[in-house]
């Protein structure tokens, strides 16, 4: 993902350098502070899972090979998610890493035709009824490979996505519009059958709370344009659907500004200049949500 975010990075840098006085009012309170380390520690601690709940985690690893050198295994062992969704895996073949094989008996990898590009995986301790790696109706299957996996379980569907990026200079915004059109239809169709959980790298900052420099990025940077946020909001709040999707993390943390993506440029991680692009959505009345410390 980082190579595709030049527009956002430049806008963030401009905001930082030209609006120094306003930077003092940015949300940098202790509760909004995030770790700045670029390599995961050997020892990582997570809250114990609440009995009777299912732990689903999603992570854009920006390349499995690179992530494996930065503590990927430490995280997998510590989190011990029941279902782990990985995006931007950049693998060319299905990995046989013992750390994954031994923990997750059911592993599904959607691999792009282009080597070292995109890639989505869902690793599960539970066997699904069905697995689908297509986006029905999309005219170009090659644009879909590596971006979506749907697992059907007895009580719900789980969709893991690495959504199309609008690209530097918004040059692939039309491709993202195409994706959103067909994905909206797809997720509505699934929801008519059973509850849907949608997670992964959704490649959009839904509101100004979800990125550090909202004003300087608006309608200039991929992931935060009127076209993208409107399409995303329509998916969450379809006028034809009686219910709406809930952004679980935002519902539980309405005032926090935590981010899941930081550019490698301009010391963005150290400065807290990030974007929240990785999320989990569920329909409000159909899936029970665990307390915050168990997600």
């Amino acid at each position: 993902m980082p190579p595709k975010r030049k527009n956002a990075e430049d806008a963030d840098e401009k905001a930082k350098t030209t609006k120094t006085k306003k930077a003092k009012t940015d949300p940098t309170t202790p509760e909004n502070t995030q770790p700045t380390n670029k390599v995961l520690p050997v020892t990582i601690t997570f809250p114990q899972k609440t009995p009777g709940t299912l732990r689903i985690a999603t992570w854009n690893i920006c390349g499995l090979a690179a992530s494996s050198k930065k503590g990927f295994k430490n995280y997998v062992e510590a989190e011990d998610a029941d279902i782990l969704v990985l995006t931007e895996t950049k693998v060319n073949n299905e990995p046989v890493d013992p750390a994954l094989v031994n923990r997750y008996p059911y592993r599904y990898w959607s691999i792009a035709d282009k080597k070292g590009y995109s890639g989505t995986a869902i690793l599960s301790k539970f066997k699904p009824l069905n697995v689908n790696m297509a986006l029905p109706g999309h005219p170009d299957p090659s644009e879909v490979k590596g971006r979506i996996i749907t697992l059907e379980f007895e009580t719900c569907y789980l969709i893991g996505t690495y959504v199309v990026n609008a690209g530097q200079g918004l040059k692939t915004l039309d491709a993202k519009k195409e994706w959103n059109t067909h994905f909206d239809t797809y997720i509505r169709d699934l929801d008519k059958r059973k509850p849907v959980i949608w997670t992964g790298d959704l490649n959009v900052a839904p509101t100004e709370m979800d990125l550090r420099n909202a004003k300087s990025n608006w309608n200039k940077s991929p992931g935060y344009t009127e076209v993208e946020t409107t399409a995303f909001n329509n998916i969450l709040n379809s006028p034809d659907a009686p219910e709406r999707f809930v952004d679980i993390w935002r519902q539980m943390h309405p005032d926090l500004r935590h981010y899941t993506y930081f550019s490698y440029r301009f010391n963005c991680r150290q400065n807290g200049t990030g974007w929240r692009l990785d999320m989990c959505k569920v329909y409000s009345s159909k899936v029970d949500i665990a307390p915050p410390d168990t997600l």
Side-chain angles (χ1 to χ4, degrees), residues 179-189 231 234-235 238:
W179 170 280
N180 284 336
T181 296
H182 297 291
F183 185 79
D184 191 1
T185 300
Y186 177 57
I187 200 169
R188 297 296 168 205
D189 181 61
N234 287 341
I235 293 175
S238 171

Side-chain angles (χ1 to χ4, degrees), residues 45-62:
T45 303
F46 287 95
Q48 291 293 316
K49 186 175 67 175
T50 300
T53 63
L54 187 71
R55 178 170 290 184
I56 301 172
T58 185
W59 184 14
N60 180 314
I61 56 176
C62 200

